[in-house]
Amino acid sequence: MLSDDELALLEAIRSTGSLSRAAAHLGKAPSTVSHAARQLETRFDALLFDRRRYRLQLTPAGELLTREAGRLVQDVARLNQRVKQVANGWEDRLHVVTDEILEFETLLPVIRAFDALQSGVRLRLTHEVLGGTWEALREGRADLVVGATNEPPAMPKLRWFELGTMDWVFAVSPRHPLAKVAGPLSQDAVGAHRSVVVADSSRNVGRAYGIVGGQATLAVPSMRAKILAQRDGLGVGWLPRHRASALLRSGQLIEKAMSEPREPNTLYVAWRSDHEGRALSWWLEQLRQPRLAKRLILGLPVSAENR
Amino acid sequence: MLSDDELALLEAIRSTGSLSRAAAHLGKAPSTVSHAARQLETRFDALLFDRRRYRLQLTPAGELLTREAGRLVQDVARLNQRVKQVANGWEDRLHVVTDEILEFETLLPVIRAFDALQSGVRLRLTHEVLGGTWEALREGRADLVVGATNEPPAMPKLRWFELGTMDWVFAVSPRHPLAKVAGPLSQDAVGAHRSVVVADSSRNVGRAYGIVGGQATLAVPSMRAKILAQRDGLGVGWLPRHRASALLRSGQLIEKAMSEPREPNTLYVAWRSDHEGRALSWWLEQLRQPRLAKRLILGLPVSAENR
DNA sequence: ACAACATGTGCAACTCCTTCGAACGAGTTC
DNA sequence: GAACTCGTTCGAAGGAGTTGCACATGTTGT
């Protein structure tokens, strides 16, 4: 291994281009530097210095060594920083997984506030669809899950609280055939039309929201895309009521009563009680604030303006 | 910086889960290990060991440190290997740039033979179009250029030799309008038809082979694609005679005489006389062999079978 | 051409750090 | 409760790293 001193020595030799100057630069005796240099060569079993001329020079091998050694120093410095950070109770990294029905933008202020803490914790945010959130937690891909749907499954050391409930509305474009059907819609009536589903492209499991067996589907990458697709009459399906509200008001989407209404979804925040660090605690504290929870659940209404 | 011993110490503590066993494992006295461990904590200014219970354990910070330290050790071992390699005269890496008119496959046997040397030199092969090869050499993106076209430009420390000459044939599909024109074709006659050009997609400079100003062009990614495109009548242009030979024989391409014939191209091998390592020398030695040079220049004829 | 200076190296002496053994307190096992 | 395992403290010993000096070699200035 390369010691700190040896690294500094190499660097000094490179920059000054001479042993004695390097020695002066390091505040050591010239003989020390000479000795240490030889020792380095012995240890690496390679000629690092070209001593044929008056002032010695680094050989290509020595050049490579100093260059790469410099990078190593940086790596070690970073590691040092990370170790201290972890020792102070901050995680090395925090992986937050949100359910796709939450809009990423609503988390931005929280991320900004977290950044302002200067904790050094590397944030990683991804999203999953349906049970994918719980699975991510179980498999250790997630440290914190926000907005998970369905009941929390049995899992050792699982902890959770409710974020809130989300109301749904079955809505169609005014130009869609279902718009003209009077009275509450039955499952069969809906099944004859194509439904729009949010599907996760990254993991190719056939997961999607609100699929009924055998129904034709249009898979889109996000809830926002689903709302827009239904506005344009490309298909039908359940939408978060608040996010569709503006379009419902402007008449670009029409609410349809259903023979089997959809129960409001309860959304959960969940984590594992092992490795609870300061970053996780901070996030939990934020998410327990009713104002933030409400903003997350409601999401950003899709504006009626952009047609 | 982390010394070799400290690394071994951390690893031993992690695997044995106790200081005394770690000491026995390392062949040292327990007191030594205890002392060193404390010193580590002082240096990192962080609690690395949890001593509250009977047998001490690594804290999360200590865990992180040992884990990452292990990676560092590997990095250093690799660096060690590379330094030795360079000290033995091998380059750390060799960047070979070929002109696009050479077929990559013809270099495969050479690459295999080079691999068999077990030199440890990391090969990197890319291709350029037209002057791009010389530019790559000038800008240090290439250590060796194979098959460069045009005359070697003025460049300090440039060295080169001729690889051979490449003959061209102007060929069109039998279904192409130009196929029926009798006698040598003039520039104007050709200019009325779309030409197929090889263009480099990676660098978006508007470089291509055989463009005449104002002529409609079809840009394709390789010489092989150009030959196939011309076979299918998508355009016209000059082709390496040998590579088109099979298609000319089978009648899928027809050679046309030209009022201004194209001079055979001389192809060059070039490198810079600074940093000449063993890998470069080896490649030059190979490329000087007439058999290989001929194979490179002629390339792989595009087979007449696959329609 | 000669002196003055700079540079790298070998050697003996020195200094400080690492290592060790012994002793001790605390916790565990039978 | 005795025998043990474990981690720590402390002073002493050994050794690696460091230093000053002498010397050979090469460079610069007058």
Side-chain angles (χ1 to χ4, degrees), chain B residues 19-20 34 51 54:
Chain B
L19 282 198
S20 2
S34 173
R51 305 157 205 267
Y54 181 41

Side-chain angles (χ1 to χ4, degrees), chain A residues 233-296:
Chain A
L234 299 176
V236 300
W238 292 98
L239 302 176
R241 175 174 295 280
H242 183 260
R243 295 189 61 190
S245 55
L247 294 178
L248 289 169
R249 268 199 306 279
S250 73
Q252 294 181 267
L253 277 174
I254 293 181
E255 172 169 4
K256 300 299 292 182
M258 299 294 284
S259 58
E260 300 178 36
R262 178 163 178 176
E263 291 298 316
N265 261 112
T266 303
L267 301 190
Y268 298 91
V269 170
W271 68 100
R272 295 168 66 144
S273 59
D274 39 2
H275 35 59
E276 274 190 59
R278 283 173 70 181
L280 178 56
S281 304
W282 185 92
W283 276 82
L284 291 177
E285 187 189 327
Q286 303 297 311
L287 291 169
R288 282 194 228 263
Q289 293 180 11
R291 272 190 57 188
L292 174 60
K294 190 174 174 192
R295 209 170 60 226
L296 285 176

